Amino acid sequence: EGEFSWTVQSSDVSLLWCFLEAQMGRGGKETLDSIKAMEKRSPHKIRGLDPDSGGEFINWATKDWTVEKKIELTRIRPGMKNDHGRIEQKNDKNVRKWAGYIRIDTKERLITLKEMYKVLEIYINHFLPSMKCIEKIRYNISHSSRKYDDAKTAYQRFMDHPDIDPEAKKKMEVFHQTLNPK
């Protein structure tokens, strides 16, 4: 009962770049504000948005914003939460591991959570390597295996990506050099 904070998380499919934003409540306006904040922090242009099927994501304000920004808006299949396997998997590692399960219902705590997410986002993207599934091999109906690429940080994937603007890479390298994980 009452209003409390929610976390909006976004993951870039190509780079595995993670975005985290905290907001008070689950309203469409608050969620769109969180998406806009992520878009401003993105090191490259966002080309597509594939959100959950909740009304906080799928609404006219979000649709109008994506049309204005020339961002493709797609939808998952209703009731098929596995369509967002990356986010469901990362909710545990990126959100619950660091923020826990406590209820945040004051403005002061929300500000603290937002500040923590800013630092955590940098830590995840620049220093935590992850592997990307590049192939799923099905042997029969109940047996399969997956093949993964080498573990790399999102920063390394960003720097290695051939379609990223060289100027953006230079800016990111300068920023990365200022970081100290110790």
Side-chain angles (χ1 to χ4, degrees):
E1 193 173 311
E3 197 170 56
F4 51 91
S5 71
W6 291 82
T7 296
V8 178
Q9 181 175 207
S10 179
S11 182
D12 182 292
V13 177
S14 177
L15 304 173
L16 302 182
W17 200 274
C18 172
F19 299 98
L20 297 166
E21 191 67 38
Q23 65 188 42
M24 193 60 79
R26 250 175 69 172
K29 181 196 176 309
E30 291 83 1
T31 304
L32 181 56
D33 289 344
S34 292
I35 294 169
K36 287 177 179 179
M38 292 175 189
E39 189 252 348
K40 283 183 182 171
R41 288 196 310 271
S42 179
H44 59 86
K45 182 178 178 350
I46 295 175
R47 295 181 183 171
L49 189 62
D50 186 30
D52 201 348
S53 58
E56 66 272 19
F57 294 106
I58 305 296
N59 55 55
W60 289 109
T62 304
K63 182 189 179 304
D64 292 344
W65 180 77
T66 57
V67 167
E68 177 188 320
K69 290 285 195 172
K70 295 183 175 108
I71 297 172
E72 182 182 4
L73 180 64
T74 58
R75 295 178 65 173
I76 66 165
R77 300 171 291 170
M80 304 297 286
K81 77 177 204 175
N82 286 343
D83 281 359
H84 281 277
R86 279 182 211 89
I87 294 298
E88 298 301 329
Q89 177 186 19
K90 289 186 176 204
N91 276 342
D92 186 54
K93 300 221 180 298
N94 296 348
V95 177
R96 292 183 193 100
K97 178 181 176 184
W98 300 98
Y101 290 88
I102 64 168
R103 180 183 169 119
I104 295 174
D105 54 5
T106 65
K107 191 174 183 175
E108 294 77 23
R109 287 183 178 178
L110 178 65
I111 291 168
T112 302
L113 182 62
K114 284 177 169 270
E115 291 300 316
M116 182 188 81
Y117 280 164
K118 285 179 186 175
V119 175
L120 181 58
E121 194 177 283
I122 293 168
Y123 175 67
I124 290 168
N125 292 323
H126 287 266
F127 299 106
L128 290 184
S130 57
M131 296 185 299
K132 216 160 87 167
C133 181
I134 54 175
E135 184 180 9
K136 184 174 181 180
I137 304 163
R138 243 192 227 287
Y139 299 113
N140 57 41
I141 199 155
S142 61
H143 291 87
S144 64
S145 66
R146 292 185 174 137
K147 186 177 177 182
Y148 294 91
D149 68 354
D150 295 332
K152 292 182 180 179
T153 64
Y155 166 75
Q156 289 169 318
R157 291 179 193 283
F158 179 86
M159 297 304 283
D160 293 345
H161 201 286
D163 296 335
I164 301 287
D165 179 42
E167 279 299 312
K169 287 183 180 183
K170 284 180 190 174
K171 286 170 78 175
M172 183 59 70
E173 186 176 15
V174 167
F175 175 72
H176 184 76
Q177 295 300 320
T178 66
L179 302 175
N180 184 355
K182 293 179 184 181

